[in-house]
Amino acid sequence: MKKKVIVIGGGIAGLSAGVYALRCGFDVTVLESHSIAGGNCTSWKRSGYLFEGGMHWLTGSAKEEPIHKMWRTVGALNDSVQIHYSEPFIEYDYQGTPIRFYRDVDTTEKHLISLSPADAKEIKALCNNIRKVKNLAMPVTDLRGVKVTKKTRPPISLLFSAISAMRIMSSFSRISRDAYISRFTHEGLREMLYALTSEKTGVLPLFFTMGTLARGDGGFPEGGSLPFVGRIVDTFQSLGGELLLNTRGDRVIVENNKAVGVMVAGKNMPADAVIITADTMSIDCLFDTPPKAPWLEEMHAVTEPTMATFLSLGIKADLKKYQKGLVFKLQQPISLAEQRYEYLSVNNYASDPVYSPEGKTAITITLGGDTYDFWKKAKEENRYMDEKQKLAGVVIEALSELIPEIKGHVEVCDVATPLTYERYCSNWKGSWMTEMTPSMKMKTYPATINGLSGVYFAGQRMMPPGGLPVALMTGRTAVQYLCRDTGTLFVNEE
């Protein structure tokens, strides 16, 4: 008889763990509390528009990437899925002059130098830093001690790329964002760099993001999150997996320090193993006695949440003449809680027919920063909807001055706050990633807890800063731990 595995959480980590476990011969049930699978990888429909709430670009979209085979294995990508590589990647409007970051780093370098010859030295240094991390692809490895159908070994070139990247990380961990940006003389370039970075994380994330794009990765699968998740669900179910929606795993049943099932709506669902892909920062409620482990203590001590308030607009206008990624400086800053926004970051989906009716456009505006307490208090004081409407009005008015076609043509407005993500995804503080500050070390947390058998962990917190590729990778890793512990052959990617 097949061993029974219950996966708590039907996001990317949970579905990926489910697919890999099925491939290895386990009987798998995934429990998802929401009415749809996908977790943070999600979108929602409003009056004919589709608003993207999860995916903005995908690591592993390029066939040359090591992780690409994993996306194909779980069914997220295949030859029929069109990948879009918008170019330029992002454009900043500086007093009517476009300043652009292209996927091709050479093109970016030439463009920026033509804009500001006086900054040629620093522009070349910036682009060289991007080139130094360009080849740092996400490695795919196998857990020590697990039996596999085919051993996965990262190429030796990746080691040299990692060494180069670590040198840059070490160097820039000692340089503040302000100190770095002050090296440039062109006001518009300085403004763009401020808009694309944060004081907390510095400029390193920009280097790594542009490095990913520079090696040809970071595309956008047509249709975005919903069909992406749907293809993984189809793969999971075609392999015989059971997906239970609107079903919350209330508690892991532990007997003699071993998981033996999951309590669901007062009923015991027996299991030989449980894979928890719910947010690891909020798992205490899943156990009668909260689990203890040094790595859990460290995670709680160092984790800072990445969150945002998303404003989505359905515009009765065709905005195809604008780039997909846009950044504007506001004439008057917008305040939200303790956050002050001098810039607006806009994703324009006019060129993807899935997101809006013909001749119309769906756009999303991201307001980053920790506003959880503000929204929670507003909810408690019955001001939540009023605050959302107030914010929407201010943003729409400001954006209408920057994109004239928007003025008077907003048909649909939707505001998703950190409380929205907390409600639907059960994320800690509604956060969907972890802030990767310059002082944080790159690491992967263990998928198990010593002294607690049959329980495995996966998800975005297990490898900061998180994101879709981490969810995929940690789902796979959790199953490798399971296979190692049960003496089961792990079926690797073909």
Side-chain angles (χ1 to χ4, degrees), residues 150-202:
K150 182 181 179 181
K151 197 69 176 175
T152 303
R153 293 184 176 87
I156 190 66
S157 59
L158 199 57
L159 174 61
F160 295 110
S161 298
I163 293 172
S164 177
M166 284 189 289
R167 287 172 179 164
I168 292 177
M169 291 175 66
S170 175
S171 174
F172 279 87
S173 67
R174 300 186 294 271
I175 301 173
S176 70
R177 177 182 71 161
D178 287 355
Y180 177 74
I181 295 177
S182 67
R183 298 174 179 178
F184 296 85
T185 63
H186 191 282
E187 183 180 54
L189 184 51
R190 289 200 307 267
E191 290 179 357
M192 185 178 192
L193 290 172
Y194 269 113
L196 298 181
T197 59
S198 75
E199 183 178 355
K200 184 177 291 185
T201 60

Side-chain angles (χ1 to χ4, degrees), residues 139-407:
V140 179
T141 60
D142 293 317
L143 181 68
R144 182 177 297 179
V146 67
K147 296 183 293 184
V148 297
T149 54
K150 182 181 179 181
K151 197 69 176 175
T152 303
R153 293 184 176 87
I156 190 66
S157 59
L158 199 57
L159 174 61
F160 295 110
S161 298
I163 293 172
S164 177
M166 284 189 289
R167 287 172 179 164
I168 292 177
M169 291 175 66
S170 175
S171 174
F172 279 87
S173 67
R174 300 186 294 271
I175 301 173
S176 70
R177 177 182 71 161
D178 287 355
Y180 177 74
I181 295 177
S182 67
R183 298 174 179 178
F184 296 85
T185 63
H186 191 282
E187 183 180 54
L189 184 51
R190 289 200 307 267
E191 290 179 357
M192 185 178 192
L193 290 172
Y194 269 113
L196 298 181
T197 59
S198 75
E199 183 178 355
K200 184 177 291 185
T201 60
V203 297
L204 278 171
L206 177 62
F207 295 161
F208 283 99
T209 296
M210 297 310 301
T212 298
L213 306 180
R215 67 173 181 269
D217 197 23
F220 186 80
E222 187 166 71
S225 291
L226 289 185
F228 185 83
V229 171
R231 291 188 291 270
I232 305 178
V233 170
D234 289 344
T235 301
F236 174 74
Q237 293 179 329
S238 70
L239 291 171
E242 180 183 37
L243 173 62
L244 300 181
L245 300 174
N246 300 301
T247 305
R248 182 181 297 275
D250 296 318
R251 182 168 54 86
V252 178
I253 303 172
V254 178
E255 295 179 0
N256 298 319
N257 297 320
K258 184 184 186 307
V260 296
V262 176
M263 189 66 68
V264 178
K267 296 182 179 180
N268 179 6
M269 292 184 64
D272 297 292
V274 177
I275 300 177
I276 298 174
T277 66
D279 194 325
T280 322
M281 291 290 290
S282 303
I283 60 170
D284 285 359
C285 62
L286 292 175
F287 297 87
D288 286 333
T289 302
K292 303 291 183 182
W295 67 265
L296 274 174
E297 294 177 6
E298 179 184 350
M299 179 185 289
H300 280 271
V302 304
T303 299
E304 296 185 35
T306 297
M307 66 181 76
T309 299
F310 291 98
L311 184 75
S312 303
L313 302 178
I315 311 297
K316 191 179 179 180
D318 189 335
L319 302 183
K320 288 190 181 73
K321 74 176 186 179
Y322 295 95
Q323 303 295 343
K324 181 177 182 180
L326 299 165
V327 179
F328 298 96
K329 186 173 183 179
L330 296 170
Q331 295 176 4
Q332 293 292 331
I334 293 174
S335 295
L336 175 61
E338 296 179 358
Q339 305 294 325
R340 186 172 183 270
Y341 303 96
E342 296 184 57
Y343 305 91
L344 280 186
S345 175
V346 178
N347 282 300
N348 171 23
Y349 295 92
S351 297
D352 194 327
V354 173
Y355 287 91
S356 59
E358 182 67 28
K360 300 182 180 183
T361 303
I363 67 173
T364 59
I365 299 97
T366 304
L367 300 175
D370 190 344
T371 56
Y372 178 82
D373 291 339
F374 168 82
W375 290 113
K376 185 177 181 180
K377 185 176 181 181
K379 189 86 167 181
E380 293 169 348
E381 297 177 353
N382 296 318
R383 297 183 290 105
Y384 188 63
M385 295 306 298
D386 290 342
E387 292 291 351
K388 288 172 71 170
Q389 291 176 2
K390 178 182 176 182
L391 175 65
V394 171
V395 172
I396 291 171
E397 182 179 359
L399 201 56
S400 296
E401 297 298 319
L402 301 167
I403 304 178
E405 293 89 340
I406 290 178
K407 194 166 188 175

Side-chain angles (χ1 to χ4, degrees), residues 108-127:
T108 298
E109 184 175 88
K110 291 176 183 177
H111 166 68
L112 296 181
I113 290 176
S114 69
L115 178 77
S116 180
D119 286 316
K121 179 181 177 181
E122 289 301 331
I123 291 169
K124 289 180 180 179
L126 182 154
C127 291

Side-chain angles (χ1 to χ4, degrees), residues 48-61:
Y49 291 91
L50 178 67
F51 296 132
E52 183 61 54
M55 183 188 301
H56 296 105
W57 51 275
L58 181 68
T59 298
S61 59

